[in-house]
Amino acid sequence: TGGYLDLRSHGQGFLRAASGFLVTCGFDHIRQPERDALDDGPLHPSGKVDYPLHGRGTGQPARLIGYGLDESGDVPCLWAEGEVIQSMTFLGALRLTRRITIPLGGTGFSISDQVANIGPFASSHMLLYHFNLGHPLIDEGSTIELSDARETWRGSEHDPLAPFMNPQSNHSADLSVFAMSEGQRSTCRIQSPRKLKLELAFDQLALPFLQILRMGGERLYGLGVEPCTSGVRTRKQARADQQMVLLKPGDSRDYRLDVSLSHSAL
């Protein structure tokens, strides 16, 4: 998707590449474009960085490391592993290493990620997993269910967990943020009247917030489910609320998400 990230679009180039089931946002910034001071980088010419919408990580080329069949456990699994490096001279380098595992005969998969600072300077680190869900999972009557969570922010007057209506002529993009309960494996379940169900599970310690994006208009109809490292709108507020992760050279953070799909008879 890197060729579609037109950074001249007032920092909104991410919107040209927000397609597919999952877009991984970061690795040093999420949410709206900002200009911010460096955490570290004594050789950087200006000491300020322009961060585009959801960062630059998703626009970097990926390298396939390996793939195969793992028969060491009780259930054989297909796996694939790759890496993405986001770097800039005098700024730093963050590396995302991802392993996707699919149990044979199952109806789901797991994502195991590690983000490591492989550069010479400290770097801010933010991560948001943007899952795009649409028809037929999202339909009139589709429901959203969260494990124990507390809503912390709402961008407009709406019910973020209300059943979906049919597509409306007036378009909307309604955003809300939830803080997930501490010390639990957090879950988000979406079920359609057709008895299709998707469940997303993730570690609350690594991803303590969940952002929900509802789009209910004609031809722009779907749901964004977004586990993330911070629940506030700006980098300044993330620092003030101790939601900004700082990775020193050699530091790393691990993430795991499990996705399962099911269908029950009507």
Side-chain angles (χ1 to χ4, degrees):
T1 60
Y4 296 102
L5 283 177
D6 181 4
L7 301 181
R8 297 170 295 176
S9 302
H10 303 287
Q12 299 287 340
F14 169 85
L15 297 177
R16 298 184 181 273
S19 63
F21 178 63
L22 170 63
V23 185
T24 307
C25 306
F27 309 133
D28 56 359
H29 178 73
I30 58 176
R31 299 193 174 92
Q32 291 301 316
E34 289 188 64
R35 169 168 282 194
D36 195 16
L38 283 174
D39 298 288
D40 192 9
L43 302 180
H44 192 275
S46 69
K48 295 276 189 177
V49 177
D50 289 311
Y51 295 94
L53 175 65
H54 285 324
R56 291 182 171 84
T58 192
Q60 308 304 310
R63 183 172 74 92
L64 179 65
I65 297 173
Y67 58 91
L69 174 64
D70 183 358
E71 299 182 275
S72 61
D74 294 336
V75 178
C77 295
L78 295 172
W79 64 274
E81 190 168 302
E83 70 173 19
V84 176
I85 295 177
Q86 175 192 321
S87 65
M88 181 176 175
T89 303
F90 302 141
L91 180 58
L94 296 173
R95 179 182 64 202
L96 169 73
T97 305
R98 169 167 294 172
R99 187 181 182 96
I100 298 175
T101 305
I102 305 175
L104 291 183
T107 60
F109 62 93
S110 64
I111 300 170
S112 298
D113 285 349
Q114 182 182 84
V115 177
N117 185 343
I118 60 173
F121 310 120
S123 174
S124 59
H125 167 54
M126 309 176 86
L127 206 60
L128 181 148
Y129 292 86
H130 177 84
F131 288 91
N132 288 304
L133 308 177
H135 186 80
L137 181 64
I138 305 303
D139 201 351
E140 182 183 17
S142 292
T143 58
I144 307 168
E145 179 185 349
L146 305 182
S147 58
D148 193 17
R150 173 177 55 89
E151 187 180 8
T152 60
W153 184 85
R154 187 184 299 183
S156 60
E157 280 303 317
H158 72 288
D159 182 352
L161 302 181
F164 266 77
M165 301 172 62
N166 270 331
Q168 305 295 299
S169 58
N170 56 317
H171 289 84
S172 60
D174 296 315
L175 199 61
S176 57
V177 178
F178 292 83
M180 311 307 291
S181 292
E182 295 183 4
Q184 296 185 7
R185 185 80 171 154
S186 300
T187 58
C188 176
R189 299 181 185 91
I190 298 94
Q191 182 164 315
S192 80
R194 302 168 186 264
K195 304 302 181 183
L196 296 171
K197 183 169 73 172
L198 181 145
E199 179 172 305
L200 171 65
F202 53 96
D203 183 3
Q204 184 274 338
L205 291 176
L207 297 164
F209 298 94
L210 179 69
Q211 187 165 279
I212 299 289
L213 172 63
R214 298 173 61 110
M215 294 174 289
E218 295 173 349
R219 300 178 184 270
L220 189 59
Y221 182 76
L223 176 68
V225 177
E226 304 172 338
C228 46
T229 54
S230 70
V232 293
R233 311 313 300 166
T234 67
R235 298 175 63 84
K236 180 179 179 180
Q237 191 175 355
R239 288 192 181 92
D241 292 357
Q242 297 183 333
Q243 296 179 20
M244 175 72 82
V245 178
L246 184 67
L247 292 180
K248 297 178 181 178
D251 286 352
S252 63
R253 290 252 303 187
D254 294 325
Y255 302 89
R256 175 171 173 136
L257 303 96
D258 296 295
V259 179
S260 61
L261 304 167
S262 63
H263 176 262
S264 57
L266 296 174

